Amino acid sequence: MYTLAVCAEMVYRDLPIEERARRIHEAGFQVEIWDWTRHDLSALAQTPAEFSSMTGYIRGTLTDPDGAAELLRTAEESIKAAEHLGCPRLNLHGTGLDSEGLPVVPVTGEATGDMWITAHRTLTRLAELGESAGVTFTLENLNTAVDHPGVPFARAADTYALVAAVDRPGLRMNLDLYHAQIGEGNLIELIRRAHGAGLIGEIQVADVPGRCEPGTGEINYPAVARALTDLGYDGTVALEAWPSGDSHTAMERFRAAFTL
Ligand SMILES: O=C(O)C(=O)CO
């Protein structure tokens, strides 16, 4: 059976992050955060929350050697932060994102062969770092049509290809079904394929359009939950969504969609 988590960056936004973590924990979910440098880690560590995932780098990009060096350096700092919180997964994107979610180093058009090779080499090194520290890096698919234009390796198919090619336990996919629905659709087949290859490190969810909780849009999340259960998926499913109303109700709707 899977475990449910909630991204604290998107719920209870009028409260300090520690209070959000506490409320999410009290509601029975694990907690996810994004850029840990914006938070007081000691205060977060003092909450009873169990952390599931956080951003695994501060700056950098997968597509060029200088950016890759920065990514690796800041990933090492992120491993230390994850140890402080007891957080098992460190999330990556094709390139660093600014506060609007836009790529710091955008790629127009398709990534070049050199970019793919640099990404493969960098991800292999990140996987090695993760394995020696006992954490897993996850590479998240994003959508370029609505939220993250110009991010390289954004499609679920791209993250699948890179994670499969690296083929190390220290690197897995963060299969974000909200982004995948906008980019590619065919969600249950995507899950079956990635799960069958043993590549899923975590699943994130929100509905389309609007990026709110399950039940507010076009994705049939109860059918997704049934497929995950039938497959025996026992990883994390995390709500990374804006509440359509109050945060507590959004979390309960998420729980209901994933409770069979
Ligand atoms: O948009 C997302 O899914 C992100 O992870 C942004 O940090």
Side-chain angles (χ1 to χ4, degrees):
M1 191 58 189
Y2 42 74
T3 301
L4 298 181
V6 172
C7 176
E9 309 281 353
M10 298 174 90
V11 296
Y12 297 118
R13 284 172 40 94
D14 50 337
L15 298 176
I17 194 84
E18 302 80 35
E19 183 54 27
R20 300 184 208 176
R22 209 167 275 118
R23 290 201 188 193
I24 294 167
H25 171 78
E26 279 163 9
F29 302 101
Q30 294 191 350
V31 175
E32 308 211 331
I33 58 168
W34 291 338
D35 176 1
W36 54 271
T37 63
R38 292 187 294 115
H39 303 312
D40 178 344
L41 288 186
S42 298
L44 277 173
Q46 276 163 23
T47 70
E50 202 175 320
F51 292 91
S52 164
S53 172
M54 59 197 277
T55 303
Y57 64 96
I58 310 171
R59 289 173 303 278
T61 179
L62 287 176
T63 47
D64 68 72
D66 289 347
E70 182 72 342
L71 189 66
L72 284 164
R73 207 184 54 66
T74 61
E76 292 195 49
E77 285 182 56
S78 302
I79 286 177
K80 293 200 190 87
E83 280 165 357
H84 196 152
L85 292 184
C87 181
R89 277 178 299 281
L90 284 156
N91 196 45
L92 306 165
H93 306 110
T95 183
L97 305 175
D98 68 15
S99 56
E100 307 292 314
L102 296 175
V104 175
V105 185
V107 172
T108 42
E110 294 292 317
T112 64
D114 279 352
M115 290 177 184
W116 280 93
I117 289 166
T118 305
H120 179 268
R121 200 175 287 136
T122 312
L123 289 166
T124 303
R125 185 72 197 106
L126 284 161
E128 287 165 3
L129 284 177
E131 286 157 27
S132 12
V135 294
T136 305
F137 281 95
T138 56
L139 181 60
E140 182 180 6
N141 61 293
L142 299 173
N143 79 77
T144 53
V146 178
D147 300 280
H148 305 289
V151 171
F153 316 119
R155 287 174 295 225
D158 298 339
T159 59
Y160 182 103
L162 284 166
V163 173
V166 170
D167 192 23
R168 297 193 61 124
L171 180 72
R172 289 285 175 262
M173 294 171 72
N174 175 357
L175 182 50
D176 187 310
L177 297 178
Y178 160 77
H179 293 307
Q181 170 71 359
I182 294 171
E184 294 140 289
N186 206 15
L187 298 182
I188 290 178
E189 276 309 311
L190 184 58
I191 290 168
R192 286 194 184 129
R193 188 163 162 254
H195 179 78
L199 298 182
I200 302 182
E202 148 145 17
I203 290 180
Q204 290 185 327
V205 302
D207 222 328
V208 176
R211 202 176 193 178
C212 294
E213 70 274 11
T216 55
E218 70 198 26
I219 303 180
N220 185 345
Y221 272 116
V224 168
R226 164 61 56 206
L228 289 172
T229 305
D230 291 348
L231 289 168
Y233 174 71
D234 61 0
T236 297
V237 177
L239 178 72
E240 195 181 47
W242 309 112
S244 63
D246 71 274
S247 294
H248 178 76
T249 305
M251 296 196 305
E252 289 312 319
R253 291 175 103 184
F254 164 54
R255 193 192 329 263
F258 280 88
T259 304
L260 296 176

